[in-house]
Amino acid sequence: MNPQLKRGTLELCVLALLSDRDCYGYEFVNAISESIHITEGTIYPLMKRLKDEGCITSYLVESSEGPSRKYYSLTDIGRKKLSVQISEWSDFYKSVNKILGID
């Protein structure tokens, strides 16, 4: 997949995953990789930016399988951003499909 297409939609995917449940970084990679090939190196800078913007928060959970895991959760700001991005995605998707002749 074209890296620029992927980059433009990855934030939407992360916010959508967090709207269902809290996740830790490796879970994001696994969940998204089922549909779009990504690496951990792609996710963590995005998570830092979303955290800096106030869209997500993080907390540590001890793990019996190794070190503590940092879980991320969606904030109210993140929920609003997700809602806007879903609307924008829908409009964009419809516009591109119209150009492509796909109904």
Side-chain angles (χ1 to χ4, degrees):
M1 178 181 280
N2 182 317
Q4 290 192 8
L5 287 176
K6 199 183 317 183
R7 194 176 357 227
T9 57
L10 193 55
E11 181 177 297
L12 174 60
C13 293
V14 166
L15 293 173
L17 286 172
L18 282 176
S19 71
D20 291 334
R21 63 183 170 85
D22 295 358
C23 296
Y24 61 95
Y26 190 68
E27 281 183 298
F28 286 114
V29 174
N30 285 339
I32 294 170
S33 288
E34 291 177 8
S35 301
I36 304 169
H37 175 72
I38 61 165
T39 63
E40 286 183 58
T42 307
I43 286 291
Y44 291 108
L46 173 59
M47 301 308 291
K48 181 182 179 338
R49 185 174 53 77
L50 288 171
K51 190 171 180 183
D52 290 347
E53 292 174 357
C55 295
I56 63 173
T57 59
S58 64
Y59 58 94
L60 290 176
V61 175
E62 289 192 32
S63 172
S64 60
E65 301 171 9
S68 298
R69 292 182 175 157
K70 184 186 283 190
Y71 277 78
Y72 296 92
S73 61
L74 203 56
T75 65
D76 288 340
I77 293 170
R79 288 181 211 295
K80 289 176 188 172
K81 186 170 191 163
L82 174 59
S83 178
V84 168
Q85 286 191 358
I86 288 172
S87 177
E88 289 173 346
W89 173 259
S90 179
D91 292 344
F92 179 74
Y93 177 85
K94 289 174 189 174
S95 298
V96 170
N97 279 352
K98 183 177 179 181
I99 293 167
L100 297 176
I102 302 170
D103 291 317

